[in-house]
Amino acid sequence: MATYNSDLQAAVDATSVAKDSGVSEDLATYLREQLAEREIETSDDDWIARTVAAIEKDPNYMIEDEPSDFEAPDLPQDD
């Protein structure tokens, strides 16, 4: 089982809630805003489109991959 960045999943979850509650019809823009709030930038439009399509099909969508240009933050190292 793969694990992915929790901030990515949180942005996807927020987008799913926005869709279900009717807050936004432009889910791609909403997802980008949610990513930006979490200080995640991506130019991977294909990932955004795939993720929005998956949210449309399944409101409980769990991400299956990361944007191609995503760089996970370094985890703190134990000394």
Side-chain angles (χ1 to χ4, degrees), residues 12 48-62 64:
V12 169
I48 296 288
R50 282 193 317 273
T51 302
V52 167
I55 291 169
E56 294 278 356
K57 288 182 182 177
D58 178 6
N60 297 314
Y61 175 68
M62 299 294 290
E64 297 173 357

Side-chain angles (χ1 to χ4, degrees), residues 32 41-51 65-70:
R32 285 190 184 281
E41 295 180 23
T42 184
S43 61
D44 189 342
D45 294 333
D46 290 337
W47 183 85
I48 296 288
R50 282 193 317 273
T51 302
D65 60 355
E66 298 168 337
S68 61
D69 55 355
F70 177 74

Side-chain angles (χ1 to χ4, degrees), residues 16-32:
S16 181
V17 169
K19 175 196 170 287
D20 288 346
S21 63
V23 170
S24 178
E25 292 184 22
D26 183 356
L27 295 180
T29 298
Y30 194 88
L31 177 55
R32 285 190 184 281

